[in-house]
Structures are given as structure tokens and as C-alpha cells.
Amino acid sequence: MMATFNLTSFTNPGSFILLGIPGLEHFHIWIGIPFFIIYLVALAGNSVLLYLIFMEHSLHEPMFFFLSMLAATDLILSNTCVPKTFSIFWLGPQEITFPGCLTQMFFLHYSFATDSATLLAMAFDRYIAICFPLRYNTILTRQVITKIVMGIVSRSFCIIFPCVFLLKRLPFCQTLIIPHTYCEHIGIAQLACADISINIWYGFAVPVMTVTSDLILTGISYALILRAVFNLPSQDARQKALNTCGSHVCVMLIFYIPAIFSVLTHRFGHNVPHSFHILIANLYVAIPPALNPIVYGVKTKQIREKIILLFFLKGTQ
């Protein structure tokens, strides 16, 4: 198979071949089943979340607006990678064009950067709501929220879009087979027959530093929130505040832990089996979009009530 795809030197290749998870080919069919189920859960959960937030006037608040942005980004992430993944698992290695590979790479990394910034915005929202409750509506006005959203979208675009040009400038003269289920920046760059130092530096330093700053600022926000919560005089008020923040913390852990593990393993985990690394990388793009709406549906009272009303009480009327 490797000989079939041996190619001579050229600047922009016609296509790449995505192999899946090397070493686990005999289990691809079985691995594809849970990925397909996870994909359906992500589609249904995030779509219901967006529908409820859009239709219910009581959910037209900053917190739920940021939540809808997280759900929309998760839908982009799921549809960018997961359908191609389980098609590889069930149908074998798949061809993807060079523009298609760049497009998938862009939306993959863009979604990750947007999710990270959105979680920071949600932490800021909870900080204002708990630490300055009387000024909440005057601080988080429609204009401020619009600026935050525009900042999130433009920042994510500005740090990820250069990766497209960094890849387009490279000549490719190796076997254009990617031992993965989707296209990502360094995975494509490693197939080039040229110096990729800039790609390695930019692809690791800039996005990681950006996401790290998001994580640090989010941690500071929740530290300030916890300090304010434990100073509240009422036990009920403390419990309510902790429940509100609990769903955010759960989503952060679901998002950051597998992503950080995947990045560190890709850069430094040379002793980690490649098949294990690819499997974790697939879980990091598949599981958070599926679990986020479930976590918020269980932990957020307003959403839980609307879901019960939508699916259970309407059927009895």
C-alpha cells in the first residue's frame, strides 16, 4: 500500500490518505460503533441546547448566550472530524484533498481555540454574577457581550489562519499517507520535504501559549469565585453558587485534560504507543462535544426544567 502512494516532488499535493489508527486496523469496525453513537449524542445534545436557548426567552441571559456559543462550536468540531473518523473505521483508509485537509485542519484548531476562549468568557460571566451580583446587568450589557464574542472569534481566526499559509508554502515529496483519522497542522507538516521549524515553533508555541493563558485566567476567576462563595452568609446561597459553577468546572476538565494530554504526548511522549496517542486524540475531539450538553442539562436548573418541559410534559398535554 505504501508503494501505491509513493509520489514525486511537487508543491501542492492532490490528496492525502488518512489511515485511521495504525496497529488497531482489526478493531476499526468495533471502535467505529461507539464513535458513531458519541457523534449522534453530540449532534442531538447540542442541537437541543441551541434550540432551547434560542426559543426560551428566560434563557436569553449572558451565561446561556456563551453556552450557545460553546454548543455551536462543538457542533463545528464534531462535524469537522468525527464523520470522517467513523467512515475510516468502517470503510478503510480514506482519501482527502489537500484543500479539504487544510480546511479540516483549520476548523479543528479554530474550534479548539474558540472553545477555550468561550470557557474563559463563561468563567468571567460567573465571576461577575457571584462577586458583583447587583452590577451584573450593567457590566455585561449587550454591547459588552458583542465585543467579547467578536474578540473570541477574531482571536481564534488570527492565531489559526496563519497555519494554512505555513502549510501551503511547503513542498511535499514523501508518501502522502497520514497515520491518523484527521488532518492536523504538525501531522501534515511532517510529510513535507523541507525545513518545518517555523511550523513546529508556531504550531506549538502560539496556540499553546494562548490556551495556557486562557486556562490561567480561568483558574484565577474560579479562585476569586470560591473566595466570594465561602464569604456568603447563607448556606443555601453558597450551595446555589457552587452548583452553578460545578457544571463549568466539569466541562473545563472534560475539555482540557484530554487535549493537554494529547498535545504533550504528541510533542514529548516518544515512548507512548502511536496507536494510543491517536486514540486519545480522537477521544478529545469526540467526547467533549457529546458530554458538554449532558453536563449542563444535569447541573443547570433552568436548562433541566426546560428539557423536562420539552420532552416529557408536552407529551402529556
Side-chain angles (χ1 to χ4, degrees), residues 5-40:
F5 300 107
N6 275 336
L7 301 172
T8 57
S9 177
F10 51 92
T11 302
N12 287 333
S15 61
F16 294 100
I17 303 297
L18 293 169
L19 289 186
I21 306 178
L24 296 180
E25 290 86 355
H26 296 299
F27 302 100
H28 274 182
I29 293 178
W30 301 107
I31 297 174
I33 295 173
F35 271 91
F36 180 69
I37 296 173
I38 291 170
Y39 175 66
L40 294 180

Side-chain angles (χ1 to χ4, degrees), residues 256-294:
Y256 280 113
I257 289 177
I260 292 173
F261 178 83
S262 179
V263 170
L264 293 179
T265 301
H266 191 70
R267 295 300 185 275
F268 307 112
H270 303 296
N271 295 325
V272 177
H274 188 63
S275 59
F276 182 74
H277 171 220
I278 300 301
L279 184 60
I280 293 297
N282 278 279
L283 292 177
Y284 123 73
V285 299
I287 289 183
L291 289 185
N292 287 351
I294 296 175

Side-chain angles (χ1 to χ4, degrees), residues 14-287:
S15 61
F16 294 100
I17 303 297
L18 293 169
L19 289 186
I21 306 178
L24 296 180
E25 290 86 355
H26 296 299
F27 302 100
H28 274 182
I29 293 178
W30 301 107
I31 297 174
I33 295 173
F35 271 91
F36 180 69
I37 296 173
I38 291 170
Y39 175 66
L40 294 180
V41 171
L43 282 184
N46 288 290
S47 298
V48 168
L49 206 55
L50 285 171
Y51 173 80
L52 289 176
I53 294 173
F54 179 77
M55 296 298 295
E56 295 292 337
H57 184 73
S58 61
L59 299 180
H60 292 177
E61 299 178 4
M63 179 181 76
F64 298 108
F65 183 81
F66 291 132
L67 179 55
S68 69
M69 189 173 178
L70 184 70
T73 306
D74 283 343
L75 282 175
I76 294 173
L77 179 60
S78 292
N79 286 298
T80 296
C81 297
V82 183
K84 194 73 172 178
T85 296
F86 58 72
S87 69
I88 293 171
F89 289 153
W90 289 342
L91 302 177
Q94 298 286 302
E95 183 176 345
I96 184 170
T97 64
F98 184 61
C101 199
L102 293 181
T103 301
Q104 187 184 58
M105 179 277 301
F106 171 79
F107 281 106
L108 166 68
H109 296 310
Y110 174 83
S111 300
F112 180 78
T114 303
D115 268 352
S116 178
T118 303
L119 290 174
L120 174 59
M122 295 173 75
F124 176 71
D125 169 81
R126 290 301 85 200
Y127 168 71
I128 299 298
I130 293 173
C131 298
F132 305 98
L134 299 179
R135 299 173 55 195
Y136 180 76
N137 291 324
T138 58
I139 294 175
L140 287 178
T141 62
R142 186 179 297 272
Q143 292 78 10
V144 171
I145 294 173
T146 301
K147 291 179 180 178
I148 292 174
V149 171
M150 293 302 295
I152 291 173
V153 172
S154 59
R155 191 198 73 164
S156 300
F157 181 86
C158 289
I159 65 173
I160 301 303
F161 195 66
C163 295
V164 175
F165 292 100
L166 290 175
L167 290 173
K168 285 182 69 67
R169 72 182 179 87
L170 295 174
F172 292 87
C173 55
Q174 298 183 24
T175 303
L176 299 183
I177 295 179
I178 301 177
H180 210 309
T181 56
Y182 54 78
C183 299
E184 52 95 21
H185 178 213
I186 300 300
I188 302 172
Q190 287 174 340
L191 297 178
C193 51
D195 182 22
I196 61 170
S197 299
I198 297 177
N199 296 75
I200 294 174
W201 179 85
Y202 189 90
F204 179 71
V206 176
V208 168
M209 287 175 62
T210 304
V211 172
T212 301
S213 66
D214 290 345
L215 186 57
I216 292 173
L217 292 173
T218 302
I220 292 173
S221 297
Y222 281 108
L224 295 173
I225 288 171
L226 287 175
R227 188 180 69 175
V229 165
F230 289 114
N231 287 331
L232 293 174
S234 169
Q235 176 67 27
D236 291 338
R238 287 197 296 269
Q239 188 63 39
K240 182 179 179 181
L242 289 174
N243 285 337
T244 303
C245 295
S247 56
H248 295 256
V249 174
C250 289
V251 168
M252 282 178 55
L253 294 176
I254 293 169
F255 174 75
Y256 280 113
I257 289 177
I260 292 173
F261 178 83
S262 179
V263 170
L264 293 179
T265 301
H266 191 70
R267 295 300 185 275
F268 307 112
H270 303 296
N271 295 325
V272 177
H274 188 63
S275 59
F276 182 74
H277 171 220
I278 300 301
L279 184 60
I280 293 297
N282 278 279
L283 292 177
Y284 123 73
V285 299
I287 289 183

